[in-house]
Amino acid sequence: MILRMRKHVAVAVLALVAGLSMLPAHADDTVRQQLTAADLMAGTSTGPAPMDAFAPPATPVAPMRSFEGHLTLDAPAFTAFTVLKNQFNLRIDSTMKSMPPVDVDLVQDGTALIPVRRGPFLGAHRDWELLLEPGSVWQEAGDNGLTRASLPFALREVGANCLHNGVLSFVFGDNGAISHVAYQISSETCAYFKFDASGIAAAHFTPATLATADATKTAYRAEVAARLPVRPLSDLIAAHPTLAESGFALAPTPDHDPPTLYGAVIDGVNYVGGCETRAGRYPYCDVLDLPSYSTAKTVFAAVGLMRLEKLWPGARTALIADYVPECATPDWAGVTFENVLNMTSGVFGDRGYEVDEGSSATDNFFNSDDHAGKIRFACRHYKRRAEPGTVWVYRTSDTYVLGTAMQAFVHRHLNADADLYRDIDLAQLWHPMTLSPALDGTLRTYDSVAQPFAGYGLTYHRDDIARIASFLASGATRNNEPMLDSAMLSRVLQRGTSEHGLSAGYPHLTYLDGVWVRDAAPNLGCATSAFIPFMSGYGGISVVLLPDGSVFYYFGDSEIWDWTPAAKEIAKIKPLCR
């Protein structure tokens, strides 16, 4: 599947070093060998470094000074760029091999360095959108009394859901004194395009007291406090010695590229593993940006429709043609919102497994930047070939139709300025849970319509997807009140229902209301069927909702799909057969 996818304070190096050379050195006698203060001051590119060169020490020393104000970087072009995989022959030129503009306000709270603006910075670069996440500030021996900082970031391909994760680092002093900034990318969740990149750029820091500083700190403290307790998977294995972490890692990757991360939520604890890059462990696993890909078909589209059905009973049986003018044709007559959520619109080209989804014609949908192009393809390219609700054909373009219809439904039932994702999913579900700001944005068309994609385009942190999945698996209640339509959710969770959806391409696999369902009995050795719902995303992403409310999640891009090795491990301590 192709997804095309002020005032600055300039300080000379000698003046900065001279002005701070009398400051006391850090008490720790460990002096780094890479990304030294001298390298950063001089703007010397030392090439790719281990990820721990960007990481704070295990016991960081409190910073001597505070960083608050405005940071920009000059023309940040990568000095090293090594393509490891380019399946669809994306254009590799000087623009591709450069960072988007870095132009941000930052505030410090203790040792935390927090971008005031979170989520993607749109529109300033042909190929990349920038996401910045909270990092750290600390003192370190050998830095001539300067204070060291690092920030995790991600590059998201314009119009696509690929995320390439990196870290940037610099040292700074008083009165706006700052070194060059070194940055490096050594991992991604992107099955078709992989690269390693690093660079160094001149930086400018304008100290300022930001009006948003207190609110930014308060929001970040709340975000951290709301996370599930996190422990390494080794703790779970220590408590249950029959478990093997290799099962949670699923399988060796055929391309030898480590999975982004994986974990299991058991009894309210998020047991985590992975988080490795090609240059060592990622320093900021809690805020590592993860793409949703088609897990958005559950988290956005399915949850959105279940919420609409809860608020306005009958929403699931509303007709697509009544809400999407481009689909007001005989081909779409009688097709309901739920038909499309089920991938059973009856409007398709070939019923073979992913034949339509993987066709070159579908590139016209994925590569369209504007709503008119996407909805024209989604509504008009294929014809009616079966009665609605009778044949399953997986197509992301159908989920786009559903998202468009639900957006129009919200306009009609709330107001013309209402937004499906902002005012339903976020405001009513995710914000009250204090999920991370990474989830605040979704990919939308690059026009005045700004139509959410619905079928892909969300960004998570591992705690976000762990808590969303736990929320769904536990019945999606708040203060004992169901937040979603109970009948739809019960079917999805395979509780008290005989409905499993239509066959979805493989034995023991079905699809129901935007969720995959697998009869895992043959793999788990159950005497009777064991239907387990799960979400799935392009490249190798699985989020599994287990019968007792436990959750397993895996984010990788090496085409590993079979999550039963993890289910077998969890079944040793939590019964999965019924």
Side-chain angles (χ1 to χ4, degrees):
M1 177 173 66
I2 300 177
L3 300 179
R4 177 199 54 84
M5 311 242 147
R6 312 149 169 77
K7 177 182 176 183
H8 302 303
V9 178
V11 180
V13 172
L14 290 177
L16 177 56
V17 174
L20 296 169
S21 61
M22 300 302 292
L23 292 174
H26 187 277
D28 187 346
D29 60 3
T30 301
V31 178
R32 64 171 52 242
Q33 301 300 311
Q34 293 177 292
L35 298 184
T36 66
D39 291 335
L40 295 171
M41 293 304 308
T44 303
S45 175
T46 57
M51 274 287 121
D52 61 12
F54 294 87
T59 54
V61 173
M64 296 172 55
R65 55 184 61 81
S66 183
F67 192 102
E68 182 174 332
H70 192 77
L71 174 69
T72 61
L73 303 188
D74 286 348
F78 295 121
T79 55
F81 191 91
T82 303
V83 176
L84 305 174
K85 184 177 182 179
N86 187 6
Q87 182 177 350
F88 300 127
N89 297 314
L90 300 182
R91 177 172 51 179
I92 309 297
D93 58 13
S94 59
T95 302
M96 171 71 80
K97 296 188 288 186
S98 67
M99 288 272 285
V102 177
D103 189 0
V104 295
D105 288 331
L106 297 162
V107 300
Q108 185 176 327
D109 188 21
T111 60
L113 185 59
I114 312 164
V116 170
R117 176 180 173 183
R118 308 273 294 277
F121 291 66
L122 306 180
H125 195 282
R126 185 195 71 196
D127 297 308
W128 304 119
E129 295 162 349
L130 176 70
L131 296 89
L132 283 172
E133 298 292 355
S136 298
V137 183
W138 69 96
Q139 293 299 131
E140 195 170 292
D143 282 350
N144 295 312
L146 299 170
T147 301
R148 184 172 288 265
S150 67
L151 280 173
F153 71 89
L155 301 186
R156 185 175 74 181
E157 185 183 345
V158 171
N161 216 170
C162 266
L163 284 171
H164 300 261
N165 296 102
V167 190
L168 60 82
S169 188
F170 57 91
V171 293
F172 67 97
D174 298 320
N175 302 317
I178 191 169
S179 72
H180 291 73
V181 172
Y183 46 90
Q184 181 170 315
I185 292 171
S186 301
S187 66
E188 64 284 302
T189 310
C190 186
Y192 58 85
F193 188 41
K194 297 172 179 279
F195 61 82
D196 288 332
S198 59
I200 194 160
H204 308 274
F205 172 43
T206 306
T209 300
L210 301 176
T212 55
D214 288 344
T216 300
K217 295 175 187 179
T218 299
Y220 183 58
R221 290 174 188 173
E223 175 188 341
V224 172
R227 292 173 184 159
L228 291 170
V230 173
R231 296 179 191 168
L233 267 168
S234 57
D235 282 7
L236 184 67
I237 294 166
H240 303 278
T242 61
L243 301 181
E245 183 161 348
S246 58
F248 293 93
L250 300 188
T253 56
D255 55 3
H256 306 293
D257 204 28
T260 304
L261 53 77
Y262 49 87
V265 181
I266 297 177
D267 296 331
V269 176
N270 191 4
Y271 293 96
V272 299
C275 206
E276 296 295 323
T277 78
R278 290 179 291 273
R281 186 170 177 80
Y282 193 73
Y284 295 102
C285 298
D286 283 334
V287 293
L288 178 66
D289 289 317
L290 303 166
S292 67
Y293 281 111
S294 289
T295 64
K297 292 179 172 70
T298 306
V299 174
F300 187 156
V303 167
L305 185 55
M306 285 188 274
R307 181 60 180 165
L308 295 188
E309 182 67 17
K310 170 69 175 176
L311 296 172
W312 296 285
R316 67 186 181 88
T317 58
L319 297 178
I320 293 292
D322 289 345
Y323 290 88
V324 184
E326 295 83 355
C327 288
T329 67
D331 294 310
W332 288 86
V335 179
T336 68
F337 285 18
E338 192 170 26
N339 289 149
V340 181
L341 183 63
N342 273 316
M343 298 291 180
T344 59
S345 67
V347 181
F348 57 86
D350 191 312
R351 69 178 63 198
Y353 181 70
E354 297 230 358
V355 173
D356 282 358
E357 182 79 349
S359 71
S360 59
T362 303
D363 295 351
N364 294 315
F365 168 77
F366 286 117
N367 293 339
S368 293
D369 287 335
D370 62 2
H371 174 64
K374 284 188 180 296
I375 200 65
R376 184 185 310 114
F377 178 92
C379 288
R380 302 295 178 92
H381 184 77
Y382 296 112
K383 301 298 181 183
R384 170 72 67 84
R385 297 185 181 276
E387 286 302 303
T390 62
V391 176
W392 181 86
V393 179
Y394 185 90
R395 297 191 317 169
T396 298
S397 59
D398 271 13
T399 309
Y400 186 82
V401 168
L402 175 61
T404 302
M406 290 196 293
Q407 182 86 314
F409 185 96
V410 168
H411 289 170
R412 198 173 296 181
H413 287 77
L414 290 179
N415 60 71
D417 295 324
D419 182 79
L420 170 66
Y421 188 65
R422 181 192 67 224
D423 298 320
I424 300 297
D425 286 17
L426 282 178
Q428 300 182 21
L429 300 172
W430 310 143
H431 280 171
M433 293 170 60
T434 320
L435 298 179
S436 82
L439 199 61
D440 284 0
T442 178
L443 278 168
R444 297 172 181 266
T445 55
Y446 295 85
D447 56 11
S448 60
V449 179
Q451 174 63 40
F453 287 6
Y456 62 103
L458 301 179
T459 301
Y460 312 125
H461 293 165
R462 66 184 179 189
D463 180 77
D464 295 329
I465 194 59
R467 285 202 285 144
I468 287 170
S470 296
F471 171 73
L472 296 175
S474 63
T477 62
R478 183 181 303 133
N479 299 324
N480 296 319
E481 177 188 351
M483 300 303 294
L484 307 178
D485 180 73
S486 297
M488 291 183 72
L489 182 61
S490 293
R491 287 197 300 273
V492 161
L493 295 177
Q494 296 295 287
R495 295 172 187 170
T497 182
S498 60
E499 294 183 65
H500 312 303
L502 295 181
S503 178
Y506 287 93
H508 310 295
L509 194 65
T510 56
Y511 195 84
L512 180 65
D513 279 351
V515 179
W516 299 84
V517 178
R518 180 175 184 172
D519 182 2
N523 302 92
L524 297 176
C526 302
T528 60
S529 294
F531 293 101
I532 298 178
F534 67 100
M535 313 176 209
S536 184
Y538 172 70
I541 299 172
S542 296
V543 183
V544 188
L545 310 180
L546 296 167
D548 72 328
S550 299
V551 168
F552 171 75
Y553 59 89
Y554 177 99
F555 284 76
D557 51 19
S558 300
E559 309 290 345
I560 293 176
W561 304 103
D562 184 7
W563 44 260
T564 53
K568 288 179 180 179
E569 296 302 318
I570 294 171
K572 295 175 183 177
I573 56 175
K574 295 285 184 178
L576 301 183
C577 297
R578 301 178 184 180

